[in-house]
Amino acid sequence: MTPAQLSRTVLHTVRRAVEDDELCVVVPERVKVRTPPRAGCGDYATNVALLLARGGGERDALVIAEVLRRRLVRTPGIARVEVAAPGFLNITLDAHSHAQLVRAVRSAGPRYGHGEALAGVSVPLGDSDEVRAALVGHVVRGLVDASGGVVIAGRGPVVRASPVSGVELLRSLGPDAARWALLRPAGHDLPDLDPSRLLSQREDNPLFRVQYAHARIRALMRNATQLHITPEPQPESGAYDHPAEIGLLGLLGDHPRVIEAAARHRAPDQLARHLVGVADAFLRFHDLFHDGCPVLPSHQHKPSAVHRSRLALADATGAVLAGGLRLLGISAPEHL
């Protein structure tokens, strides 16, 4: 189950509760679900009960949340729903829903997250001669298009100007690092243009980690092809129940929302930081299982359902990294 599908499920649950006279509230047009800010709070959380109880206080929100909890927990694909004060619903999906998400990402490939979230929405954006503002504007146009919105005339992006010209940036950093340097910081922050940090192939360089994670995934997929192993999420295998896997799945599921938010707020830095989070989560996932149950089996072992499931998760992660880097105009290397 993808976040978009879960959002529709929660909205449908609200509507049915109103139709059955169990709730007396105005049904919203849409419901948002988000990845919880900390572990142990389910796969997704929603504040819909708080919004429905607006003006009624915490007690009403908790009552509404409990009504929705009882209904949601009976929904196929949802394993557990918990109510947390002052009225949040923390939703845990079952293994079949996780497998469905992996299949959805792999099916869409690098275009996963593109959609119609901003259909009918006009995003004002103007041109600029300053190199950083011009680059941000160009990337935002692509993000808006990927989200189904339309760019209309407006002022250029408000960002702190680059202290050096575009030509100098390309000469000292190359295209990938130059773009990353200008796009990753929030618009109000001054970009770090130090080549020793931006071109470093070490773990303290976020761009390196993102590109390395993608290259590592592509190497896994090449090795899997040589071993005749087909990636396929198999929920009965016991995969996708470790916190490292669940955390990575949550970030993949959040990718469409991040693209929409980056487009709506004209802030490609949100996408850049999200990609760092995805890469770091993948590297933790990969390193954690390297000794116990690696993504690929050693030569003396036969591939199991767990291997195929984790390989599919790695492949889905590669699609998200490739698609996100493409939206930023940065290469996703096959080798590094």
Side-chain angles (χ1 to χ4, degrees):
M1 185 181 297
T2 66
Q5 292 169 331
L6 181 58
S7 295
R8 291 193 292 270
T9 297
V10 176
L11 180 59
H12 177 73
T13 301
V14 173
R15 186 175 292 115
R16 289 299 302 272
V18 171
E19 292 172 353
D20 293 344
D21 294 326
E22 196 171 3
L23 289 179
C24 184
V25 296
V26 177
V27 179
E29 292 185 3
R30 58 185 298 191
V31 169
K32 292 184 178 181
V33 298
R34 302 285 295 272
T35 303
R38 61 182 184 276
C41 296
D43 296 320
Y44 296 99
T46 177
N47 65 345
V48 63
L50 287 166
L51 297 178
L52 295 175
R54 185 170 289 169
E58 179 178 340
R59 182 176 179 180
D60 285 352
L62 290 172
V63 171
I64 293 172
E66 178 57 26
V67 169
L68 298 177
R69 185 200 68 79
R70 290 197 303 267
R71 288 173 171 265
L72 282 169
V73 79
R74 299 195 297 266
T75 303
I78 293 179
R80 186 170 65 255
V81 182
E82 297 173 332
V83 175
F88 290 98
L89 286 166
N90 295 332
I91 303 170
T92 301
L93 304 181
D94 64 17
H96 289 274
S97 290
H98 290 147
Q100 185 181 10
L101 171 62
V102 172
R103 292 191 186 100
V105 177
R106 295 184 66 228
S107 176
R111 289 184 60 82
Y112 170 69
H114 294 216
E116 300 298 322
L118 293 184
V121 176
S122 298
V123 178
L125 189 66
D127 297 325
S128 175
D129 293 329
E130 194 277 321
V131 60
R132 187 182 183 195
L135 175 61
V136 169
H138 175 75
V139 172
V140 168
R141 289 177 186 275
L143 291 167
V144 172
D145 181 66
S147 300
V150 176
V151 172
I152 60 174
R155 68 174 183 173
V158 179
V159 297
R160 294 188 67 175
S162 169
V164 299
S165 70
V167 173
E168 291 177 89
L169 280 173
L170 288 173
R171 184 184 301 118
S172 62
L173 297 175
D176 282 354
R179 278 179 167 265
W180 183 264
L182 298 181
L183 293 172
R184 182 177 181 251
H188 54 75
D189 291 333
L190 190 67
D192 177 6
L193 305 179
D194 186 345
S196 67
R197 287 190 286 269
L198 289 163
L199 299 178
S200 167
Q201 293 196 343
R202 297 196 304 263
E203 291 183 357
D204 58 355
N205 179 359
L207 174 59
F208 171 73
R209 296 203 304 274
V210 173
Q211 292 185 315
Y212 172 76
H214 180 267
R216 187 74 192 91
I217 291 167
R218 297 314 305 155
L220 284 171
M221 302 311 297
R222 289 192 297 272
N223 292 339
T225 299
Q226 293 175 356
L227 294 172
H228 305 289
I229 302 174
T230 303
E232 175 58 36
Q234 299 180 25
E236 298 83 3
S237 67
Y240 306 161
D241 60 0
H242 190 280
E245 295 167 308
I246 293 172
L248 179 55
L249 285 160
L251 289 169
L252 300 189
D254 208 30
H255 188 60
R257 183 200 63 80
V258 172
I259 292 177
E260 176 195 348
R264 188 184 296 274
H265 300 295
R266 303 185 299 177
D269 58 285
Q270 295 187 19
L271 175 58
R273 289 195 298 273
H274 173 68
L275 294 180
V276 175
V278 172
D280 289 346
F282 168 75
L283 294 173
R284 285 193 298 271
F285 154 78
H286 180 269
D287 293 346
L288 179 67
F289 295 110
H290 185 267
D291 295 324
C293 184
V295 176
L296 292 178
S298 58
H299 290 291
Q300 63 266 33
H301 293 95
K302 292 183 178 180
S304 67
V306 172
H307 289 119
R308 293 187 177 90
S309 295
R310 288 182 176 151
L311 185 63
L313 177 55
D315 191 33
T317 304
V320 166
L321 292 174
L325 287 169
R326 180 183 298 174
L327 285 170
L328 297 177
I330 296 173
S331 67
E334 294 281 321
H335 306 269
L336 197 63

